[in-house]
Amino acid sequence: MKRYFFLPLTLPFLILFILLLPLLFILFASTITIAFQKLGLPLPVAFTLFWAALIGSFINIPIKEIKSYGPVVRMTKVSFFGITYPVPYVDWGEQKTIVSINVGGAFVPLSVVLYEVLRLLVLDETFLLTRMAMAILISTIVSKAFSRPVRGLGIAIPMFIPPLVAAILALLLGGDNRPLIAYASGTMGVLIGADLLNWNKLKELGAPMVSIGGAGTFDGIFLAGIIAVLLV
């Protein structure tokens, strides 16, 4: 029986990807940093926030335990010839779901928005704060409408909707402060509309853990704000 190997075709692309990986990371980090700078943050602060978000994406702080009854998807490990494979299985009975907050996906965006709110209060920018609150409210309603509980996973929302809505709101309400409106509505809209307003559905997910702010930094809430800023 003949065996066909495609390594001569894929290996150059693999080597090229490995060689370009540092450059891709630098470009990605620069893009995120530029987005933070558009919010009026100094370069050292923007760079620090990037690393805080990146490292914080691996940190989930448990805040509550929810008990429910029903099926839950769990993972076990099976070893075969020295190789370990993850195998999902369904467990029945009383289940415990740990609700946690992702540092990079929730705390970092929240801290940026709170900083901007305090800055505007000091500058007595009441009108801009009102427009920001209006944009967050609209984004929250849209996020709530499109978010869906996915059993065994968490609360999911199409990733293109929050940044697109935030960008539109920034163009309509932002004036000379479009990046600020885009970031605030993009992040807080998802955090409130998709996560917090679906709190009562968390016990129905059958997941061992759900994370407010997403499973990692660069999805959901964090990317919604960054992409929205870059779009405007």
Side-chain angles (χ1 to χ4, degrees), residues 115-182:
Y115 165 79
E116 294 293 342
V117 170
L118 292 175
R119 183 175 67 86
L120 293 177
L121 287 174
V122 171
L123 297 175
D124 197 22
E125 293 282 357
T126 307
F127 183 63
L128 180 55
L129 279 172
T130 303
R131 285 184 293 167
M132 181 194 297
M134 186 182 303
I136 292 175
L137 176 61
I138 296 173
S139 180
T140 297
I141 294 173
V142 175
S143 296
K144 171 61 177 175
F146 282 94
S147 60
R148 296 290 184 272
V150 179
R151 192 165 185 81
L153 177 64
I155 304 297
I157 184 173
M159 67 175 297
F160 66 90
I161 291 179
L164 184 60
V165 171
I168 294 174
L169 290 171
L171 293 174
L172 295 175
L173 302 173
D176 296 331
N177 297 276
R178 290 191 297 270
L180 174 58
I181 298 298

Side-chain angles (χ1 to χ4, degrees), residues 45 49 69 72 121 135 141 164 196 218 232:
V45 176
L49 284 173
Y69 186 85
V72 63
L121 287 174
I141 294 173
L164 184 60
L196 297 184
F218 302 110
V232 298

Side-chain angles (χ1 to χ4, degrees), residues 70-90:
V72 63
V73 179
R74 299 189 184 279
M75 300 294 294
T76 187
K77 295 180 180 179
V78 176
S79 297
F80 183 73
F81 282 101
I83 302 177
T84 302
Y85 299 91
V87 179
Y89 70 97
V90 178

Side-chain angles (χ1 to χ4, degrees), residues 88-101:
Y89 70 97
V90 178
D91 188 16
W92 289 80
E94 186 180 79
Q95 311 298 343
K96 294 180 180 179
T97 298
I98 303 298
V99 182
S100 60
I101 299 180

Side-chain angles (χ1 to χ4, degrees), residues 56-74:
S57 66
F58 300 99
I59 303 174
N60 289 292
I61 302 177
I63 59 172
K64 187 176 179 61
E65 182 181 280
I66 299 177
K67 294 183 179 180
S68 61
Y69 186 85
V72 63
V73 179
R74 299 189 184 279

Side-chain angles (χ1 to χ4, degrees), residues 155-214:
I155 304 297
I157 184 173
M159 67 175 297
F160 66 90
I161 291 179
L164 184 60
V165 171
I168 294 174
L169 290 171
L171 293 174
L172 295 175
L173 302 173
D176 296 331
N177 297 276
R178 290 191 297 270
L180 174 58
I181 298 298
Y183 186 84
S185 60
T187 54
M188 295 300 98
V190 179
L191 180 62
I192 300 172
D195 284 347
L196 297 184
L197 293 184
N198 284 301
W199 183 276
N200 61 332
K201 297 180 180 179
L202 296 182
K203 63 181 180 181
E204 304 172 6
L205 297 175
M209 186 189 78
V210 292
S211 178
I212 297 175

